[in-house]
Amino acid sequence: MAMARMSSGLQYPERFYAAASYVGFDGSPRSSAKAATVGPCNVPEPSAWNAIERSKWSSWKQLGEMVSAEAMRLFVKLLEEEDPGWYSRASNFIAEPVNDAQMNHNSKPEPVVENGSSYPETKTFSAENGNPDESLEKDAISEGLDTIAVYDQWILPPISGQRPKARYEHGAAIVQDKMYIYGGNHNGRYLNDLPVLDFRTWSWSRIEVKAGSDSPSPVTVVPCAGHSLIPWENKLLSVAGHTKDPSETIQVKAFDLQTSSWSALKTYGKPPVSRGGQSVTLVGTSLVIFGGQDAKRTLLNDLHILDLETMTWDEIDAVGVPPSPRSDHAAAVHAERYLLIFGGGSHATCFNDLHVLDLQAMEWSRPTQQGDIPTPRAGHAGVTVGENWFIVGGGDNKSGVSETVVLNMSTLVWSVVTTVQGRVPIASEGLSVVVGSYNGEDILVSFGGYNGRYSNEVNVLKPSHKSTLQSKMIETPVPESVSAVQNATNATRDLESELEAGQDGKTREIVDNGDSDPTACTIDNFGLSL
């Protein structure tokens, strides 16, 4: 197995002493200060009328009665849930041990101090039964990006500034050297803030949205989730999404990066019904919208195009068999001609099918996938680098997907880029992934997600996008167009019944009340080579 650098963080009890000192309860053995809350609770029980103090006393008493190792881990766990970046902001602790270890959960690190600096991000997670689980080490490197020479591995960059609220189903977009995050869902609450991560300084800030008096149609942006954020002409376009009081049709809003104000864009033609969980793909000067779920939880597989030059909607009735109704899928465009749809979910099933829409012929097809075909998933994120389509995260409502995979869109060959261990934000639903540049190299940047807890973590991967793909490249001549798709007379069948039988998917936890997705076809194998 390949060897990799892995962040270990301080071991216990030192990590607990560091946490106690950070919050002002200096229990460090290096300090002469008296430990204010280390040890059993000797404070008299507060009056039942004082609910807050009584709650604090009960928590302290439970900690004091625990086995010391469990109590230490629980104390640190609670701190990390409230203040995830406490360790990187602490200043009076010993340098983080760093070790060379195999990337598996059973490796036991040997502490090695390096350069006297650290950005530890070791986290503890609660087990499903509510008992404190052992610390799960992340397969990530917590060092400055300048010192990292490894490819195809998720790392934790050293980030400063106040982190945004943890969330999932948000929008993310890169403009120049900044990543903008808009909206999302935190514990069922929709958000409408606009935090920004500057890649030049790796620091968070937040845009103060102005009233927009200079805008032709200023709006007060309502909180939303499940929308799409698209950069366009020094603006951020927010398309669709779920809101507390949904409109009847899709709304398109624009955030002007120069005036820091939102405005509603007037569109023409027949707009699609409002929805969330759709895909929105920028192709030339048009947005291609597919699928999603409307406000009544009806799954959709309709296709619409918004011309951004005329702001006119056009509903597309493409030939061929479209993907079954779904939401939380991923979409990408290849060679400005082919729209690819991968995965997603219905109420009952997660998918791992791949569909291609020829935007010139307006024809759907379902090509044969090759290589390490990904497992069914929904809520994943995708981004393209050249002809490579990277898919990150997602889940099947039972567990998060640990593999980051890549599809060569010319050969339709899948490869596994890397695999993470444990319940980490990379293996989440509703995370975002964008592609940026750092020191002249492409980087994938993920943010947020949900896998039993909400995340506000940033992870970075530098893709090699060569070694794993070249060995599987298929040498074929360049055709004038994609081969014609031939449908068998008995081609149409119930895709969900096939998936639930275990041939192509995994059953979701939510039971579908009679809604089936009847649209899949047997398609001749063809290569999509350009």
Side-chain angles (χ1 to χ4, degrees):
M1 181 178 293
M3 304 293 287
R5 303 289 303 283
M6 187 170 70
S7 168
S8 66
L10 286 177
Q11 302 302 304
Y12 289 89
E14 285 80 6
R15 190 173 182 84
F16 164 71
Y17 292 136
S21 179
Y22 177 77
V23 297
F25 300 141
D26 196 351
S28 170
R30 298 171 182 80
S31 172
S32 60
K34 184 176 180 180
T37 61
V38 178
C41 175
N42 297 317
V43 176
E45 181 176 356
S47 166
W49 296 102
N50 194 332
I52 295 177
E53 290 303 319
R54 186 178 177 85
S55 175
K56 291 180 180 179
W57 180 88
S58 297
S59 298
W60 184 0
K61 190 172 189 298
Q62 288 176 347
L63 277 174
E65 292 173 350
M66 279 185 182
V67 176
S68 60
E70 280 192 5
M72 288 178 179
R73 291 186 184 278
L74 181 57
F75 182 92
V76 175
K77 170 184 175 293
L78 294 172
L79 171 60
E80 288 177 344
E81 287 182 349
E82 293 296 322
D83 188 359
W86 73 271
Y87 205 145
S88 61
R89 289 191 290 274
S91 60
N92 296 321
F93 316 133
I94 65 172
E96 178 200 10
V98 177
N99 68 291
D100 288 339
Q102 289 189 357
M103 291 178 64
N104 61 58
H105 188 55
N106 297 322
S107 59
K108 295 184 179 180
E110 295 294 332
V112 177
V113 176
E114 181 182 79
N115 297 332
S117 62
S118 62
Y119 300 94
E121 287 287 342
T122 302
K123 305 247 177 142
T124 55
F125 297 91
S126 295
E128 292 183 0
N129 61 8
N131 295 326
D133 196 4
E134 63 178 296
S135 177
L136 298 178
E137 304 292 353
K138 294 189 176 183
D139 291 342
I141 302 171
S142 299
E143 301 177 34
L145 291 184
D146 292 332
T147 64
I148 295 172
V150 65
Y151 288 86
D152 297 334
Q153 181 178 320
W154 289 104
I155 63 110
L156 292 161
I159 292 179
S160 60
Q162 183 178 357
R163 293 192 184 195
K165 181 182 288 290
R167 70 194 69 199
Y168 80 126
E169 292 185 339
H170 50 278
I174 283 186
V175 178
Q176 295 179 345
D177 295 318
K178 296 180 179 180
M179 177 176 71
Y180 295 83
I181 302 295
Y182 169 58
N185 186 328
H186 177 86
N187 200 28
R189 176 188 173 193
Y190 295 154
L191 307 173
N192 67 347
D193 55 342
L194 196 61
V196 184
L197 179 63
D198 192 325
F199 293 153
R200 294 167 299 186
T201 59
W202 291 98
S203 61
W204 281 109
S205 60
R206 180 175 297 184
I207 293 181
E208 294 297 330
V209 178
K210 298 180 181 178
S213 57
D214 297 334
S215 172
S217 303
V219 293
T220 300
V221 178
V222 297
C224 64
H227 52 289
S228 303
L229 196 64
I230 308 293
W232 173 255
E233 293 184 344
N234 205 36
K235 293 182 175 65
L236 299 174
L237 303 183
S238 177
V239 184
H242 294 299
T243 59
K244 184 178 180 181
D245 298 310
S247 59
E248 293 184 2
T249 59
I250 279 183
Q251 303 296 301
V252 181
K253 302 179 288 287
F255 182 78
D256 192 312
L257 295 171
Q258 293 181 333
T259 63
S260 296
S261 61
W262 285 98
S263 62
L265 297 184
K266 181 176 177 57
T267 61
Y268 304 89
K270 183 182 178 181
V273 65
S274 66
R275 66 194 66 197
Q278 70 294 318
S279 60
V280 178
T281 310
L282 180 64
V283 183
T285 59
S286 296
L287 297 179
V288 182
I289 292 91
F290 173 78
Q293 184 175 238
D294 69 14
K296 297 179 181 179
R297 297 188 69 248
T298 301
L299 292 160
L300 307 167
N301 67 341
D302 51 345
L303 184 68
H304 301 262
I305 293 181
L306 177 62
D307 187 324
L308 293 176
E309 293 184 329
T310 63
M311 296 306 296
T312 302
W313 286 104
D314 189 11
E315 184 172 5
I316 305 301
D317 186 14
V319 298
V321 180
S324 57
R326 65 190 62 198
S327 66
D328 301 322
H329 52 280
V333 62
H334 179 46
E336 293 293 297
R337 175 175 173 180
Y338 301 101
L339 179 73
L340 285 75
I341 302 290
F342 171 73
S346 69
H347 296 316
T349 305
C350 288
F351 306 122
N352 67 341
D353 49 351
L354 177 68
H355 297 261
V356 177
L357 175 67
D358 185 335
L359 292 168
Q360 288 186 8
M362 284 301 172
E363 182 174 12
W364 285 107
S365 58
R366 185 175 174 181
T368 298
Q369 305 175 69
Q370 304 179 65
D372 300 318
I373 300 175
T375 56
R377 66 198 63 192
H380 47 290
V383 69
T384 59
V385 178
E387 64 182 3
N388 302 293
W389 187 18
F390 292 86
I391 301 291
V392 182
D396 58 7
N397 274 357
K398 295 179 181 178
S399 62
V401 176
S402 59
E403 298 87 12
T404 296
V405 296
V406 61
L407 176 70
N408 184 300
M409 294 186 289
S410 292
T411 64
L412 299 182
V413 175
W414 288 101
S415 302
V416 176
V417 178
T418 189
T419 301
V420 296
Q421 300 292 329
R423 188 185 292 180
V424 295
I426 289 297
S428 295
E429 295 190 37
L431 77 171
S432 62
V433 173
V434 294
V435 59
S437 178
Y438 187 80
N439 284 349
E441 293 187 275
D442 294 320
I443 55 172
L444 309 187
V445 184
S446 78
F447 173 76
Y450 177 78
N451 60 2
R453 62 182 290 175
Y454 297 89
S455 170
N456 61 356
E457 188 173 278
V458 174
N459 282 270
V460 175
L461 180 144
K462 289 202 297 186
S464 63
H465 50 80
K466 48 188 177 185
S467 59
T468 58
L469 296 173
Q470 286 181 339
S471 62
K472 298 183 179 181
M473 290 288 286
I474 300 175
E475 298 295 335
T476 54
V478 178
E480 289 297 326
S481 62
V482 176
S483 303
V485 179
Q486 299 178 355
N487 293 324
T489 55
N490 61 346
T492 302
R493 61 182 182 273
D494 189 339
L495 177 60
E496 280 204 335
S497 63
E498 171 188 322
L499 295 179
E500 290 172 346
Q503 298 178 25
D504 203 17
K506 294 183 179 179
T507 302
R508 303 189 87 176
E509 288 183 340
I510 302 174
V511 177
D512 192 355
N513 297 322
D515 288 333
S516 61
D517 293 342
T519 50
C521 62
T522 301
I523 298 177
D524 289 344
N525 180 22
F526 74 98
L528 190 61
S529 302
L530 296 173

